[in-house]
Amino acid sequence: MLMRTDPFRELDRLTQQMLGTATGTWSRPSAVPMDAYREDDAYVIMMDLPGVTPDAIDIDVERNMLTVKAERRPVVKSDDVQMELSERPLGVFSRQLMLADSLDTEKITADYAAGVLTLRIPIAERAKPRKITIGVGDDRRQITG
């Protein structure tokens, strides 16, 4: 048996359960913590999804809206198991991001390792800075130097 040593933590957990903020549902998912940064010619988004299997992660892009949904399910599957302590949140987690037009949503890549989902979104070629050459035109307007 596990001993509960912090009664205030247990009270917080019970309050969250009663208010419905501890477990996300499909209609009211919990938030996914994330980091986002630019690296070279891509944006990188890292989302914490510990305990989620890769097949329980759903990534969609519709127009410029990126949606990541994941579901953490209970590990215990046997009916003869009595849960002594359950503090890890279960349920549905979600995050939506509006992507800029300068990003190439056709080439998004996703990797999942050690409970972290990493999305790489490249910057579109049309949005990268480029050099414009100046044409001289016809012979009458030559520039002498």
Side-chain angles (χ1 to χ4, degrees), residues 64-100:
N64 286 9
M65 181 66 71
L66 172 73
T67 303
V68 176
K69 278 193 176 184
E71 184 175 8
R72 185 178 307 138
R73 300 173 183 113
V75 177
V76 178
K77 297 181 180 181
S78 175
D79 291 336
D80 61 341
V81 173
Q82 180 181 344
M83 184 62 78
E84 293 291 330
L85 179 64
S86 180
E87 293 181 346
R88 297 177 10 183
L90 300 174
V92 180
F93 302 87
S94 178
R95 190 73 182 244
Q96 285 190 314
L97 301 169
M98 181 63 86
L99 302 178

Side-chain angles (χ1 to χ4, degrees), residues 41-42 100-105 107 121-129:
D41 287 339
D101 289 332
S102 60
L103 299 177
D104 191 348
T105 58
K107 296 182 181 174
I121 309 169
I123 296 173
E125 288 297 321
R126 68 182 181 281
K128 292 180 183 176

